[in-house]
């Protein structure tokens, strides 16, 4: 993975057909997805359950782009090796998941993946400042994690702007996750985000049998995002 701040659309397979992940991934990549976002939930850190390392390993051969694994689990450290061995390119852990996030980020890089740090809406992004040199990506949550299809929390736009200033010239992606649509995308890219996760806004109206809708949805988000991106870069 080479670093750049071009706009990347990362569909979340949380909104895909769980019985057909391989075909869904091939469809979104063929329709212009830049990364594939994989939401891992443990029913403890967040009030929902999804899947773990075996599912990640099973879908890995279908992903030609980047496997972006978002861990909404606590604890994180006992599972890092399993997700990296399953083929994650990026492993993102939450700042709120435990007291030793510094150690967690070191362990992710030590295991051979890019390290991401996710920050909930209730956490000041300033708390990420001492950790930035251990991060390849910071994910600003624009919903409370746990479910797809929630409304964008607009006050997080200021946090994205603040994070962009904290990062400065460092090669760290700013990812935004939750409620991203063609309406909200320009707000986050104007504030400095470059990776846009989108679940419902990518998958709505489409299917493996009708994949061009995925392409239209991805293009609508990208066009809206790119219209404001350059001011922030
Ligand atoms: C929320 C997940 C998101 C979610 C986004 O807990 O981390 O990745 O799938 O879904 P939308 O785009 O529908 O808000
Ligand atoms: Zn996510």
């Amino acid at each position: 993975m080479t670093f750049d701040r071009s706009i990347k659309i990362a569909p979340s397979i949380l909104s895909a057909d769980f019985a057909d992940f391989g075909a869904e991934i091939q469809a979104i990549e063929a329709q212009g997805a830049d990364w594939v976002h994989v939401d891992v939930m443990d029913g403890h850190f967040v009030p929902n359950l999804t899947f773990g390392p075996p599912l990640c390993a099973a879908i890995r051969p279908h992903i030609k782009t980047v496997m972006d694994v978002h861990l909404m689990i606590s604890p994180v450290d006992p599972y890092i090796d399993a997700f990296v061995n399953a083929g994650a390119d990026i492993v993102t852990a939450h700042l709120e998941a435990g007291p030793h996030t510094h150690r967690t980020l070191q362990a992710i890089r030590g295991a051979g993946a890019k390290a991401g740090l996710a920050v909930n809406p209730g956490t000041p992004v300033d708390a990420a400042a001492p950790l930035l040199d251990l991060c390849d990506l910071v994910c600003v949550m624009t919903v409370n994690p746990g479910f797809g299809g929630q409304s964008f929390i607009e006050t997080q736009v200021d946090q994205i702007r603040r994070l962009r200033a904290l990062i400065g010239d460092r090669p760290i992606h700013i990812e935004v996750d939750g409620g991203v649509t063609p309406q909200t995308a320009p707000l986050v890219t104007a504030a400095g985000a470059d990776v846009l996760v989108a679940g419902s806004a990518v998958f709505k109206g489409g299917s493996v049998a009708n994949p061009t809708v995925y392409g239209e949805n991805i293009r609508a988000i990208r066009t809206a995002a790119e219209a404001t991106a350059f001011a922030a870069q």
Side-chain angles (χ1 to χ4, degrees), residues 12 14-15 37 39 41 70 72 141 143-150 177-180 197-200:
S12 164
L14 189 62
S15 293
H37 186 81
D39 284 310
M41 304 186 187
H70 178 193
M72 287 161 275
M141 294 304 303
V143 297
N144 289 298
F147 303 95
Q150 303 182 83
D177 188 1
V180 171
V197 176
S200 29

